[in-house]
Amino acid sequence: MPAMPVLTETPEQAILALVVTRGETASICPSEAARGLAAARGHPDAWRRYLAEIRRAGARLAADGQIDILRKGKPIPAGAIRGVVRFRVRPAGGSS
């Protein structure tokens, strides 16, 4: 699925806008949120520079219980965000 344009000001807003839209059964790649954030900041082709910021924001949102960080489809702790991961909105009543 192609990245949806998300015009947001903060990395947290970029992530939440996408995961809420996708729902509890789907996830996003951090690069999708980085692309939205880069576009919102006027640098759509420089999305890679925002990727580390998005991953840190994802760890904060996971620690706050708002999203899950997934590796191979399974939730992982916020402190284990290394390598290939995805984000999804935390299911109602769920925990990672």
Side-chain angles (χ1 to χ4, degrees):
M1 171 179 273
M4 297 173 24
V6 177
L7 299 178
T8 59
E9 294 182 12
T10 69
E12 288 84 355
Q13 289 172 333
I15 294 167
L16 290 173
L18 288 169
V19 297
V20 168
T21 299
R22 299 277 170 91
E24 295 178 358
T25 60
S27 61
I28 68 159
C29 179
S31 67
E32 294 176 73
R35 285 182 174 92
L37 185 62
R41 293 183 176 176
H43 307 285
D45 294 331
W47 62 269
R48 285 176 185 84
R49 85 167 72 154
Y50 298 104
L51 198 49
E53 191 176 351
I54 289 291
R55 291 169 71 88
R56 286 190 302 269
R60 287 190 299 271
L61 290 169
D64 288 344
Q66 296 182 60
I67 70 168
D68 285 329
I69 301 171
L70 307 173
R71 182 177 295 127
K72 296 183 179 181
K74 306 284 187 214
I76 63 170
I81 187 169
R82 293 184 252 326
V84 178
V85 296
R86 295 186 65 84
F87 301 146
R88 79 166 174 215
V89 67
R90 175 132 331 145
S95 63
S96 56

